Amino acid sequence: MILKLNFENEIPIYVQLRNQIVMAIAHGDLSQGEKLPTIRNLAEDLGINNMTVNKAYAMLKQEGFISIDRRHGAKVNPILTPDFEFKEKLEDDLSLVISEAEIRGMKKDEFMKICENIFDSMKKLKPQEK
Amino acid sequence: MILKLNFENEIPIYVQLRNQIVMAIAHGDLSQGEKLPTIRNLAEDLGINNMTVNKAYAMLKQEGFISIDRRHGAKVNPILTPDFEFKEKLEDDLSLVISEAEIRGMKKDEFMKICENIFDSMKKLKPQEK
Amino acid sequence: MILKLNFENEIPIYVQLRNQIVMAIAHGDLSQGEKLPTIRNLAEDLGINNMTVNKAYAMLKQEGFISIDRRHGAKVNPILTPDFEFKEKLEDDLSLVISEAEIRGMKKDEFMKICENIFDSMKKLKPQEK
Amino acid sequence: MILKLNFENEIPIYVQLRNQIVMAIAHGDLSQGEKLPTIRNLAEDLGINNMTVNKAYAMLKQEGFISIDRRHGAKVNPILTPDFEFKEKLEDDLSLVISEAEIRGMKKDEFMKICENIFDSMKKLKPQEK
DNA sequence: GTGGTCTAGACCACA
DNA sequence: GTGGTCTAGACCACG
């Protein structure tokens, strides 16, 4: 799993880390049930503080993406089912992103194509795992 | 033009304001060449600080969405053409959003349908401008 | 508002603090919309670290008990409506508490009386505020 | 006797175990004088460490709920009489639980009804012991 | 002046 | 060895 952090970015490190892990899960780089690195290891590897990693893991746990087991550390949860709250947030987020695309002159077709490509880039590893 | 701000939201007010204006432009509530309210007026209407509105306008100007003329105030720019930088950012943003959708169990079809709906909700006013 | 922390207790300080604030709200010592102390002030008053107070406030915010406004600090939210998730947790909690009472030989009547007394001790200040 | 442990829960396993046993006693699944499983057996059945079970038993012994006899293992103690210390702790616990219920908008009547239901679900087996 | 973030290093409970 | 908590002090974004 490759995680890239940008320390000059205004997005907090723990949020960047959370985002990278979310994408790693979706792309299959981290599969269901797989163990995440320990807080200490990851912090050292990335050259950041334990508590920063801790915060990212706590966020992922709270969102239901991972579970933290006192005995064996953190592991990836199974896929959830989409709830109403998430759909609302998703529509709000997309509304903004699509507005920007619209203003910047991007056609609907091109936008949809990009979405498809991203979707298709995910979980390529899943079938191979069987 | 209706602008909704949530002072308890973690998103900075000036960013919320910027987002609302971007969406207003995309939906045609603000058309090309249309004059934006003065900083002073908007700040008063919304009950926020002048500096906050100023910051939002500066952001929009820097992004090329509006022009600021000292004599005539701010006005909406024409549609841009999508540049490489924007496409990169868009792909990054979408990559995260789609990853979350994926993990939360949303199917590609449903996601695409939502995007279509949002696209279709835009620019209803545009034809009237011709 | 009087907050008592026990530094020798095994319950984390931020949880104790969270609990004390919850009880203060329920008893009317903190009324709806009332401003909480700033993180720094409270931390200094209690002789604890900013981040510990921060964590307690974040927990209360996440639970929906307070809102944090970037401009004016934290304030108490209006009463919520009980959701299913809460009722489940409540039943689990009560199941344990009542089991202990049962084993320790406490009669149902006595238990119910204690509950009533606690209920009646709350929000005495509310009507006076009008 | 059915014991459910959640390894991903933040509550320590030995505390969960202790809680489950307390509830089992109160519900009559474990009756007075009944022998508890040996530490070794229970640990194996639950797939946990001997020390964890040991810790739970020690806690129960210290609280007076069970007795541990080196020759005959652990057995459930007779019902106690409520002491002052317990009542204090009970009131503190209830104060917090009821405060949360209050803030979450639960009415006193509904709360009391839940308590009654839980009380009535207990000791169904008790009369058979006579 | 407010909360948000981050660090470096420490101690503790758990299993 | 794991995560959880806490400290003292720092810097930053926001308004």
Side-chain angles (χ1 to χ4, degrees):
Chain A
M1 179 177 53
I2 303 162
L3 300 174
K4 289 180 189 171
L5 299 180
N6 179 357
F7 296 100
E8 291 166 7
N9 193 320
E10 61 178 353
I11 299 177
I13 295 175
Y14 80 91
V15 177
Q16 289 185 49
L17 184 52
R18 173 263 179 200
N19 289 346
Q20 296 276 322
I21 293 175
V22 165
M23 290 191 284
I25 295 174
H27 283 79
D29 300 333
L30 283 171
S31 42
Q32 293 177 31
E34 187 170 339
K35 207 175 157 302
L36 292 167
T38 67
I39 290 180
R40 282 170 173 74
N41 279 349
L42 191 51
E44 191 169 1
D45 284 358
L46 297 172
I48 60 178
N49 190 278
N50 287 344
M51 288 200 57
T52 307
V53 179
N54 189 344
K55 207 163 177 178
Y57 276 25
M59 196 176 177
L60 289 162
K61 175 189 173 186
Q62 197 270 328
E63 292 176 304
F65 294 148
I66 67 172
S67 294
I68 298 178
D69 179 327
R70 196 175 268 106
R71 301 174 306 169
H72 306 112
K75 64 179 219 303
V76 179
N77 276 350
I79 297 294
L80 311 168
T81 44
D83 60 354
F84 175 72
E85 199 178 337
F86 166 68
K87 285 188 187 171
E88 274 223 316
K89 184 184 165 299
L90 179 68
E91 283 199 36
D92 286 349
D93 286 355
L94 279 177
S95 220
L96 179 59
V97 171
I98 292 176
S99 289
E100 286 195 49
E102 180 80 24
I103 302 182
R104 286 221 141 91
M106 179 172 282
K107 299 296 181 215
K108 178 170 151 186
D109 290 348
E110 187 180 0
F111 182 90
M112 300 303 265
K113 191 89 190 75
I114 293 172
C115 288
E116 287 217 47
N117 285 340
I118 294 172
F119 253 108
D120 294 342
S121 74
M122 290 186 184
K123 297 223 203 178
K124 282 177 185 165
L125 302 178
K126 265 290 156 58
Q128 301 174 357
E129 288 168 25
K130 290 182 189 173
Chain B
M1 178 175 53
I2 301 162
L3 300 174
K4 289 179 188 170
L5 299 180
N6 179 358
F7 296 107
E8 290 157 11
N9 193 319
E10 59 184 353
I11 300 176
I13 297 173
Y14 82 95
V15 176
Q16 289 186 49
L17 184 52
R18 175 263 180 197
N19 290 346
Q20 295 278 321
I21 293 175
V22 165
M23 289 192 282
I25 296 174
H27 283 80
D29 299 334
L30 282 171
S31 38
Q32 294 174 31
E34 187 170 339
K35 208 172 154 302
L36 291 166
T38 66
I39 290 180
R40 223 166 266 258
N41 281 348
L42 191 52
E44 191 168 3
D45 284 358
L46 297 171
I48 59 180
N49 197 303
N50 285 346
M51 280 189 52
T52 307
V53 179
N54 191 5
K55 217 161 173 176
Y57 277 23
M59 196 177 176
L60 289 162
K61 176 188 172 189
Q62 197 274 328
E63 294 176 302
F65 294 147
I66 67 173
S67 297
I68 299 179
D69 178 331
R70 190 171 284 112
R71 297 167 302 173
H72 304 107
K75 64 179 218 303
V76 180
N77 279 347
I79 296 293
L80 310 168
T81 43
D83 60 356
F84 176 72
E85 196 181 341
F86 166 67
K87 283 190 186 173
E88 274 227 313
K89 182 181 167 301
L90 179 68
E91 282 199 36
D92 286 349
D93 287 354
L94 279 177
S95 209
L96 179 59
V97 171
I98 291 176
S99 289
E100 285 195 50
E102 180 80 24
I103 301 182
R104 286 222 144 90
M106 179 171 282
K107 300 293 180 217
K108 178 172 152 185
D109 289 348
E110 188 179 358
F111 183 90
M112 300 303 267
K113 191 86 190 76
I114 293 173
C115 287
E116 287 216 47
N117 286 340
I118 293 172
F119 255 108
D120 293 343
S121 74
M122 290 186 184
K123 294 227 223 179
K124 284 176 184 163
L125 301 178
K126 268 287 158 62
Q128 300 174 355
E129 290 169 27
K130 290 179 188 173
Chain C
M1 180 176 53
I2 302 163
L3 300 174
K4 290 179 187 170
L5 299 181
N6 179 357
F7 295 100
E8 291 164 9
N9 194 318
E10 61 179 351
I11 300 177
I13 297 175
Y14 79 89
V15 177
Q16 289 185 48
L17 184 52
R18 174 264 181 200
N19 290 346
Q20 295 278 322
I21 293 174
V22 165
M23 290 191 283
I25 296 173
H27 283 80
D29 299 333
L30 282 171
S31 40
Q32 292 176 31
E34 188 170 340
K35 207 176 155 303
L36 292 167
T38 67
I39 289 181
R40 281 170 175 73
N41 279 349
L42 191 51
E44 192 170 2
D45 285 357
L46 297 172
I48 60 178
N49 190 278
N50 287 343
M51 287 200 59
T52 307
V53 179
N54 188 344
K55 207 162 175 179
Y57 276 25
M59 196 177 176
L60 289 162
K61 174 189 173 186
Q62 197 272 326
E63 293 177 304
F65 294 148
I66 68 173
S67 294
I68 298 178
D69 179 328
R70 196 176 268 106
R71 302 174 307 171
H72 306 111
K75 64 181 221 300
V76 179
N77 276 349
I79 298 293
L80 312 167
T81 44
D83 59 355
F84 176 72
E85 199 178 339
F86 167 67
K87 284 188 186 172
E88 274 223 316
K89 184 184 165 298
L90 179 68
E91 283 199 37
D92 287 348
D93 286 355
L94 278 176
S95 221
L96 179 60
V97 171
I98 292 176
S99 289
E100 286 194 50
E102 180 79 23
I103 303 182
R104 286 222 141 91
M106 179 171 282
K107 300 294 181 219
K108 178 171 151 185
D109 290 347
E110 188 179 358
F111 183 90
M112 300 302 264
K113 191 87 189 78
I114 292 173
C115 287
E116 287 217 47
N117 285 341
I118 294 172
F119 254 108
D120 293 343
S121 74
M122 290 185 185
K123 294 224 204 182
K124 283 178 183 162
L125 301 177
K126 265 291 157 58
Q128 299 174 358
E129 289 169 22
K130 289 180 189 174
Chain D
M1 179 177 52
I2 303 162
L3 300 174
K4 288 179 189 171
L5 299 181
N6 179 357
F7 297 107
E8 290 157 9
N9 194 319
E10 60 184 354
I11 300 176
I13 296 173
Y14 83 94
V15 176
Q16 289 185 50
L17 184 52
R18 174 263 179 198
N19 290 346
Q20 295 278 320
I21 293 175
V22 165
M23 289 192 282
I25 296 173
H27 283 80
D29 300 333
L30 283 170
S31 38
Q32 295 174 30
E34 187 170 341
K35 206 172 156 302
L36 291 168
T38 66
I39 290 180
R40 226 166 264 259
N41 281 347
L42 190 52
E44 192 169 1
D45 284 358
L46 297 172
I48 60 179
N49 198 302
N50 285 346
M51 280 190 52
T52 308
V53 180
N54 191 6
K55 215 163 176 174
Y57 277 24
M59 195 176 176
L60 289 162
K61 177 189 173 188
Q62 197 274 328
E63 293 174 306
F65 294 147
I66 68 173
S67 297
I68 300 180
D69 178 328
R70 193 172 280 113
R71 298 167 302 172
H72 304 106
K75 64 177 218 303
V76 179
N77 278 348
I79 295 294
L80 311 167
T81 43
D83 60 356
F84 176 72
E85 196 180 342
F86 166 68
K87 283 190 186 172
E88 273 228 315
K89 183 182 168 299
L90 179 67
E91 283 200 36
D92 286 350
D93 286 355
L94 279 176
S95 210
L96 179 59
V97 171
I98 293 176
S99 289
E100 284 195 50
E102 179 80 24
I103 301 181
R104 285 222 143 89
M106 179 172 282
K107 300 294 181 216
K108 178 171 151 186
D109 290 348
E110 188 179 358
F111 183 90
M112 300 303 267
K113 193 87 190 74
I114 292 172
C115 287
E116 288 217 45
N117 286 341
I118 294 172
F119 254 108
D120 293 343
S121 74
M122 289 186 186
K123 295 223 218 179
K124 282 176 184 163
L125 302 177
K126 268 288 157 62
Q128 300 175 356
E129 290 169 27
K130 290 180 190 174

